Amino acid sequence: MAIIACPQCGKKISSRAAICSHCGIQLGEASEQDLAVFEARRLRERIYRLNMISYGVITLFVAGFGWYWWDSNGFAQAPTAGPFVLMGLAAAGYIVVRVLLFRSRQLRKAMRETPGLGSDLRRNL
Ligand SMILES: [Zn+2]
């Protein structure tokens, strides 16, 4: 077994891989099971990424609130618009991320309930 570059995305993969684990291109005889495992892994990574982004936007919101406090001298004066813009963008981003996360989790639930899945696929979900 050797490490080669994927012909489509150029990332490093095993020479024996039937599917590139990065971009999903089929390189050889990929079974239904291989494809299902790839989809499951991609879904898991997507859910992980969305979780990280949701923590990021929460941090931005908190930063916006801190800015609000700083800008208004401890809420004594009217602040500038900046903190509200940041908090508004963070709140909107949070809602978008939660919707995407909800949809990905629904998809994962549907995959888990598909009859006839092998145990290695279930491990990937
Ligand atoms: Zn690739």
Side-chain angles (χ1 to χ4, degrees):
M1 194 184 87
I3 300 295
I4 57 166
C6 166
Q8 180 163 282
C9 68
K11 290 184 178 153
K12 292 187 180 94
I13 52 168
S14 159
S15 60
R16 287 206 303 225
I19 304 168
C20 170
S21 56
H22 306 287
C23 68
I25 188 179
Q26 280 190 51
L27 303 164
E29 294 287 302
S31 65
E32 289 271 301
Q33 184 77 4
D34 290 337
L35 291 168
V37 167
F38 173 75
E39 281 307 316
R41 191 180 300 141
R42 192 150 70 168
L43 193 57
R44 189 187 55 189
E45 279 164 9
R46 182 181 161 84
I47 288 169
Y48 175 80
R49 246 192 334 267
L50 285 171
N51 271 319
M52 290 299 117
I53 295 170
S54 84
Y55 301 143
V57 292
I58 289 168
T59 304
L60 275 183
F61 187 86
V62 171
F65 194 79
W67 186 11
Y68 175 27
W69 181 83
W70 178 262
D71 214 28
S72 64
N73 276 324
F75 308 120
Q77 303 165 359
T80 56
F84 294 108
V85 171
L86 184 59
M87 284 191 284
L89 286 175
Y94 185 75
I95 291 165
V96 170
V97 170
R98 293 313 295 191
V99 168
L100 292 174
L101 207 47
F102 176 77
R103 281 172 41 191
S104 297
R105 286 188 173 136
Q106 294 286 95
L107 221 67
R108 180 169 66 180
K109 194 162 171 269
M111 278 186 98
R112 276 183 179 151
E113 284 162 4
T114 309
L117 287 188
S119 59
D120 53 330
L121 176 54
R122 290 193 192 281
R123 258 201 307 281
N124 272 301
L125 279 173

